[in-house]
Amino acid sequence: MIPTPTEITYFLEVYQTKHVSKAAMRLGITQPTLTQALQKLEEKLKTTLFHRTKQGVVPTTSATVFYSRANSLKECWSDIQDGVFNSDTEIEGSFVVGCHQSVGAYTAPRLLKNLEKEAPKLHVKFVHDFSRKITEKVVSYEVDMGYVVNPAKHPDLVFKKLGDDRVTFWKKKGAENLPKRIFADGSRAQTEDLLGKTMKKHFGDWKIVESTSLELIRTLTSQGLGVGVLPERVAHAESKDLVIFDKSLPSRPDEIYLAYRKEVLSSNAGRELLRLATFPL
């Protein structure tokens, strides 16, 4: 694999300062992020670039050889950016966007419509996982940006809030005498909190049927097979066939963000994708 421009920039800073923490400070990133980037670069080059000491780092012979060529690589990349990404008439490129599948159900269509209308030469690939994992993938450069819910803030990322949601108990519209089942994803903190507050008082003899798929929970709930614990946007994703089971029961708020690294702003293509990916929910 070819080293990324970011990896080359990070390498040059460490080589010149001979110190990882100093280089991280000058680059404006955290030391773990810099260390991870160097490890990925070493994997790509299949060699060790630095020996760690108490005083800092010592470049290996391989590092010195790479350093003699790294500046040329950086200049070549700069020329490519000037010729491609800085064009005012044509913006193109490929990016990876991450999101939970349920979040993608109401964000991906909007993004694709915006791209088709305003930037048809920008291409995206979607990667799906839990919001916590998507945030980690953005940090580790596996994903360029992600739609995430209630993210843990990270110093290397920018978070733009897009909207709010709430998690509560839902049932099929018009359904009465429901089976005493609660469909829920017990791995979600919001769900765990709601069940903890309601099971003994409101659902004493009800059975909990767990699933990590919110789409399956919605399907089972819409068929009148029990009560589902869902975010409102998921409950109403396809139609208004679900209604709140009991308005006296508690709910938990959700906040939806777009998370990305500052490096995405370094190109016209990245800036345009961010503009089209940012919309109120």
Side-chain angles (χ1 to χ4, degrees):
M1 294 178 66
I2 299 175
T4 67
T6 299
E7 290 169 345
I8 294 173
T9 299
Y10 289 1
F11 165 79
L12 291 172
E13 194 65 43
V14 174
Y15 189 94
Q16 291 163 1
T17 61
K18 304 296 188 293
H19 206 286
V20 174
S21 61
K22 289 181 181 178
M25 187 178 300
R26 291 177 58 169
L27 290 165
I29 61 175
T30 63
Q31 186 172 332
T33 296
L34 178 54
T35 299
Q36 188 176 48
L38 290 175
Q39 289 173 345
K40 285 194 173 184
L41 179 59
E42 289 179 328
E43 291 174 4
K44 290 178 179 180
L45 297 176
K46 298 182 180 179
T47 189
T48 300
L49 295 174
F50 298 101
H51 295 302
R52 275 68 174 175
T53 69
K54 293 182 179 180
Q55 290 73 36
V57 296
V58 177
T60 64
T61 301
S62 297
T64 301
V65 172
F66 184 63
Y67 179 76
S68 66
R69 293 168 172 77
N71 279 304
S72 297
L73 289 171
K74 189 176 180 182
E75 290 175 2
C76 288
W77 178 250
S78 179
D79 291 340
I80 292 173
Q81 283 185 310
D82 290 341
V84 178
F85 292 120
N86 291 333
S87 169
D88 290 329
T89 58
E90 209 169 56
I91 295 178
E92 57 184 310
S94 297
F95 295 86
V96 180
V97 178
C99 59
H100 189 280
Q101 290 179 336
S102 299
V103 176
Y106 56 81
T107 55
R110 181 88 169 266
L111 172 59
L112 291 176
K113 288 178 183 178
N114 287 346
L115 290 174
E116 182 179 4
K117 180 180 179 182
E118 300 190 43
K121 291 191 176 183
L122 280 181
H123 302 284
V124 295
K125 171 186 175 181
F126 290 104
V127 172
H128 305 295
D129 211 325
F130 294 110
S131 287
R132 174 176 56 83
K133 292 289 187 179
I134 292 298
T135 302
E136 293 173 0
K137 290 179 187 293
V138 179
V139 173
S140 62
Y141 298 90
E142 297 176 58
V143 169
D144 294 301
M145 61 186 68
Y147 293 103
V148 292
V149 178
N150 301 330
K153 300 302 174 65
H154 191 283
D156 292 342
L157 302 184
V158 178
F159 293 88
K160 285 190 175 182
K161 186 175 179 180
L162 303 181
D164 296 291
D165 204 351
R166 61 168 175 162
V167 180
T168 192
F169 298 87
W170 300 85
K171 70 170 185 175
K172 180 180 179 180
K173 187 176 182 180
E176 301 294 341
N177 300 318
L178 289 167
K180 293 185 176 182
R181 297 193 195 97
I182 297 178
F183 303 112
D185 179 1
S187 65
R188 291 169 57 88
Q190 301 95 319
T191 300
E192 184 180 9
D193 178 65
L194 289 176
L195 293 177
K197 291 177 177 178
T198 59
M199 282 306 296
K200 289 184 179 180
K201 185 176 180 180
H202 301 279
F203 301 105
D205 58 345
W206 288 50
K207 293 181 179 179
I208 297 177
V209 179
E210 291 201 31
S211 171
T212 57
S213 170
L214 296 182
E215 288 76 16
L216 177 58
I217 292 173
R218 191 197 184 287
T219 297
L220 295 172
T221 305
S222 66
Q223 291 182 8
L225 298 174
V227 172
V229 182
L230 291 166
E232 183 172 0
R233 293 181 185 276
V234 176
H236 290 163
E238 298 175 7
S239 65
K240 298 284 187 177
D241 59 335
L242 297 186
V243 295
I244 293 177
F245 172 66
D246 184 341
K247 293 183 179 180
S248 69
L249 295 179
S251 63
R252 277 287 304 270
D254 271 344
E255 293 184 331
I256 307 161
Y257 289 83
L258 178 65
Y260 61 92
R261 297 188 309 275
K262 294 179 182 178
E263 292 96 315
V264 175
L265 296 170
S266 64
S267 70
N268 276 354
R271 288 192 293 272
E272 182 67 0
L273 178 62
L274 276 176
R275 185 181 73 83
L276 298 175
T278 305
F279 37 74
L281 293 172

